[in-house]
Amino acid sequence: MSAAFLAPGVSIPLLIVAGVLADVGGVPFTLPIGATLLAVVCCLATLGARRLRPPDAPRVTFPALRTVLAFVSVAAIVAGVVVMGGIQSPESIAWIPDNSFHLGTVEWMRRHESASLLDVNSYVRLDAPLSYPGGFHVVAAAVTIWSGLPTTAAIHAVLLAVCAVTWPATMGLLGASVWGRYAASTPLLAVLLFDMPFQFLSWGPLW
């Protein structure tokens, strides 16, 4: 059960590591190369987690699987309706100053077949590659490179996945860690918070 809750959130840093490895190795982050690197990173992370986990580490008590899936599904529907209402169209663009950076960054990474965190600031030609938290841009770049979707559509797809799946699932893990079996409704409560997904859309249909 913990793996199901962790998967959406953990997949993002794993993808970031795979993108950096491709960049350091000087290879494009195409689907065959990216998927191979991602599989290697996942295997290494799994082995490392097993070796570092203390044998006497406390186990988290999760609610029944059927109950959790029901609440996560409802949370995904709620978040999805809100996000899709803000997006309106896969090609829509929020007319705010920040989007020139966000759209340009993902488009630059797509054209250079890069999903590296080190390239997030390449579009604006900054010498400090890690000065901006660009995990979202890495995921969006990987989606547009692998799928062939336009940059705007890829960003909207990632936005929808984050708000409707990643956020409720990771909040469910947090709730289960604190309240155990009584935390089944945590994913549903998570989407009722102002910061996510409602505040996430205050920047327009892209952010």
Side-chain angles (χ1 to χ4, degrees):
M1 180 70 74
S2 59
F5 275 119
L6 277 171
V10 172
S11 63
I12 296 175
L14 293 178
L15 182 62
I16 290 175
V17 173
V20 170
L21 289 177
D23 185 23
V24 173
V27 295
F29 202 72
T30 58
L31 181 55
I33 296 175
T36 301
L37 288 174
L38 189 57
V40 171
V41 171
C42 288
C43 290
L44 293 176
T46 301
L47 293 174
R50 289 178 177 177
R51 291 182 64 89
L52 294 175
R53 178 183 174 85
D56 56 345
R59 299 184 63 87
V60 178
T61 302
F62 289 95
L65 176 60
R66 189 177 305 174
T67 304
V68 172
L69 289 178
F71 278 105
V72 170
S73 299
V74 173
I77 292 173
V78 173
V81 168
V82 174
V83 173
M84 293 177 68
I87 292 174
Q88 298 180 358
S89 168
E91 299 296 327
S92 60
I93 297 176
W95 296 105
I96 57 171
D98 282 6
N99 274 343
S100 60
F101 166 74
H102 298 304
L103 280 170
T105 294
V106 178
E107 177 65 18
W108 187 98
M109 296 172 76
R110 182 190 69 80
R111 295 186 182 186
H112 291 79
E113 294 186 311
S114 170
S116 172
L117 190 65
L118 303 177
D119 282 335
V120 169
N121 282 333
S122 296
Y123 170 68
V124 291
R125 301 183 182 277
L126 292 180
D127 295 329
L130 298 179
S131 62
Y132 189 85
F136 186 94
H137 305 77
V138 169
V139 178
V143 170
T144 187
I145 293 170
W146 291 357
S147 67
L149 287 172
T151 298
T152 50
I155 289 179
H156 289 144
V158 175
L159 172 63
L160 181 59
V162 168
C163 289
V165 180
T166 304
W167 174 254
T170 50
M171 290 299 290
L173 176 65
L174 176 62
S177 302
V178 177
W179 296 299
R181 69 180 67 181
Y182 303 104
S185 62
T186 305
L188 180 57
L189 296 176
V191 298
L192 300 179
L193 299 176
F194 180 71
D195 282 349
M196 285 282 284
F198 301 99
Q199 180 71 9
F200 208 51
L201 293 175
S202 66
W203 294 96
L206 279 184
W207 248 250

